[in-house]
Amino acid sequence: MTATPENSETPLDTVRGWVTPTPLFFVRNHFDPPKLDLDRWCLRVEGCVDHAIEWSWQELLDMPERTVFATVECAGNGRSFLEPRMPGVAWGAGEIGHAGWTGVPVRYVLERAKLHTSGLEVLFEGADQGTEPDHPERMHFARSLPLAKALDPDTLLAIRMNGELLEPVHGAPLRLFVPGWYGVASVKWLSRIEVIEKPFRGYFQTKKYTFQRRTPGGMETEIIGPMAVKSEIIRPRKDEVLGIGTNRVVGLAWAGEEAIAEVNVSTDGGRTWMPGILVGPRAPYSWNMWQYLWEQPQAGTFTLLARATSAAGRVQPSEYDPLYLGYMIQFSRPLTVQVRADSRSDARGGNLDALLFDINAYAEENRRMPLDVDAQYCEGSGI
Ligand SMILES: Nc1nc2c(c(=O)[nH]1)N[C@H]1C(S)=C(S)[C@@H](COP(=O)(O)O)O[C@H]1N2
Ligand SMILES: [Mo]
């Protein structure tokens, strides 16, 4: 999308498995990645704590780690599909990925610093800085989390992504990782954590990445947080020409902090729906691949739709709510394909069962990893 700073999408039609390979993982940068020297690097923890601390890189590496598999989506993902157009980067569908994230729970660090009960939010500041057209003074990228989410044992100071040390564009050496929340929460190039007593009002918290909610008392501005339930058809592609017979519809579905319960597919513009088959474990935070074998004996133009439902019963909507101000673009987007009588498709051919078995086994094996590296918390006070 842009070269400086780098902003790029995952080519979704190349997704073949549960984990997005790091080189294909989308990048969303507001400013240029900072140049950091590990020998002089440190993480400051301060604010409403008994002991403000500075951790060196080596000290961080020596702390207990855990791994969480989670899907991350940028809140602006899919903005180019909105009509009328909304301001902001015109992203396609590829600001989404699923990876294993390894690091030290934020909770562990806050317990070591001895968090005060007066703390309301935890502020996370990145080392990157710059200006925005409506904010000419230089600022750091910074976001806060409510205390409860910051203290969730799955909220990590991530050192690794897919088992390797973080790449510079993904926030090396250290980023916050907030599973189940839109990507904006997961501050990259993390350099400072501050426990604060009042709500944080920074630019990326209150000027950008907000939406409106209608309440009995009028409109209220809310901060983008947990991810919505959503699905995406990744194959066939828009306007693809298929043969009559059996075609395979393949997609992804995710539901933020929740697991996916089901995905239904329509091939007649939403009049009738059929269940898709989910592939891989149904786990909180993680997306599922799914597929639907579509029998179509006649030629024509067809409108495909997918609709995901979360474990708690949240259902993907069919319309976009303009109060979301160009964020949280979760509606089921129609995809038109042609079916022609002069060729035949047979998606039943090939050993589908073997493929599904492999993907399931691989995903299940990955998902088990976190259980082996559970963190041991020290005694904390005030939480
Ligand atoms: N410091 C910093 N952290 C940041 C950003 C940023 O510009 N600077 N972008 C955020 C946004 S909007 C998203 S979607 C994710 C993207 O993470 P990725 O580039 O590793 O995919 O990082 C978030 N963390
Ligand atoms: Mo984002």
Side-chain angles (χ1 to χ4, degrees), residues 211-291:
F211 63 101
Q212 301 286 108
R213 202 187 282 285
R214 221 174 256 117
T215 70
M219 283 301 188
E220 273 181 18
T221 300
E222 297 214 12
I223 297 157
I224 297 273
M227 281 158 56
V229 55
K230 182 169 168 182
S231 64
E232 205 46 75
I233 297 172
I234 59 175
R235 289 192 298 277
R237 301 176 180 89
K238 185 175 177 316
D239 298 327
E240 198 169 324
V241 180
L242 309 171
I244 54 170
T246 308
N247 286 290
R248 182 179 304 157
V249 182
V250 181
L252 298 163
W254 58 96
E257 292 170 333
E258 290 182 68
I260 283 288
E262 58 183 84
V263 174
N264 288 283
V265 178
S266 173
T267 55
D268 56 10
R271 273 193 297 281
T272 59
W273 295 87
M274 295 295 285
I277 298 167
L278 297 181
V279 180
R282 300 183 198 186
Y285 309 137
S286 284
W287 71 11
N288 276 96
M289 290 188 87
W290 53 265
Q291 68 149 355

Side-chain angles (χ1 to χ4, degrees), residues 137-150:
E137 305 90 60
R138 278 180 84 75
M139 61 183 155
H140 285 273
F141 185 91
R143 289 274 304 190
S144 74
L145 285 181
L147 199 56
K149 187 68 181 173

Side-chain angles (χ1 to χ4, degrees), residues 28 74-75 183-184 209:
R28 176 70 180 110
C74 178
V184 66
Y209 295 99

Side-chain angles (χ1 to χ4, degrees), residues 6-8 25-31 34 72-76 95 101 125-129 140-143 161 166-167 169-171 175-176 182-190 204 209:
E6 178 182 342
N7 281 292
S8 53
F25 208 95
F26 80 90
V27 173
R28 176 70 180 110
N29 289 332
H30 292 84
F31 309 132
V72 203
E73 185 185 17
C74 178
E95 290 286 286
W101 307 90
E125 192 177 84
D128 53 331
Q129 33 172 310
H140 285 273
F141 185 91
R143 289 274 304 190
M161 177 178 176
L166 283 173
E167 292 291 331
V169 282
H170 293 298
R175 81 181 295 172
L176 177 66
Y182 281 105
V184 66
S186 294
V187 176
K188 302 194 276 190
W189 310 292
L190 187 64
F204 296 100
Y209 295 99

Side-chain angles (χ1 to χ4, degrees), residues 30-201:
H30 292 84
F31 309 132
D32 277 327
K35 292 200 173 38
L36 300 169
D37 172 2
L38 268 191
D39 294 333
R40 285 186 298 146
W41 181 91
C42 75
L43 174 70
R44 284 188 61 77
V45 183
E46 57 195 8
C48 304
V49 294
D50 276 355
H51 314 297
I53 31 182
E54 280 190 3
W55 306 93
S56 69
W57 175 238
Q58 198 50 52
E59 282 168 323
L60 256 170
L61 288 180
D62 291 341
M63 289 187 210
E65 288 184 343
R66 67 188 288 153
T67 298
V68 172
F69 281 83
T71 302
V72 203
E73 185 185 17
C74 178
N77 189 29
R79 190 178 287 134
S80 64
F81 307 119
L82 293 178
E83 283 168 23
R85 289 294 284 270
M86 293 260 181
V89 181
W91 298 109
E95 290 286 286
I96 172 95
H98 180 256
W101 307 90
T102 303
V104 184
V106 171
R107 183 187 183 104
Y108 177 84
V109 172
L110 292 181
E111 288 188 348
R112 290 280 291 268
K114 297 232 182 285
L115 171 68
H116 291 172
T117 44
S118 62
L120 176 75
E121 292 184 353
V122 185
L123 171 64
F124 299 89
E125 192 177 84
D128 53 331
Q129 33 172 310
T131 61
E132 290 281 334
D134 55 348
H135 195 291
E137 305 90 60
R138 278 180 84 75
M139 61 183 155
H140 285 273
F141 185 91
R143 289 274 304 190
S144 74
L145 285 181
L147 199 56
K149 187 68 181 173
L151 291 175
D152 187 307
D154 292 338
T155 299
L156 302 178
L157 302 176
I159 295 167
R160 291 188 186 80
M161 177 178 176
N162 291 338
E164 308 274 354
L165 290 178
L166 283 173
E167 292 291 331
V169 282
H170 293 298
L174 186 72
R175 81 181 295 172
L176 177 66
F177 186 75
V178 188
W181 282 41
Y182 281 105
V184 66
S186 294
V187 176
K188 302 194 276 190
W189 310 292
L190 187 64
S191 60
R192 199 171 73 82
I193 299 178
E194 185 184 347
V195 180
I196 54 179
E197 289 173 314
K198 291 203 182 80
F200 176 58
R201 310 266 323 147

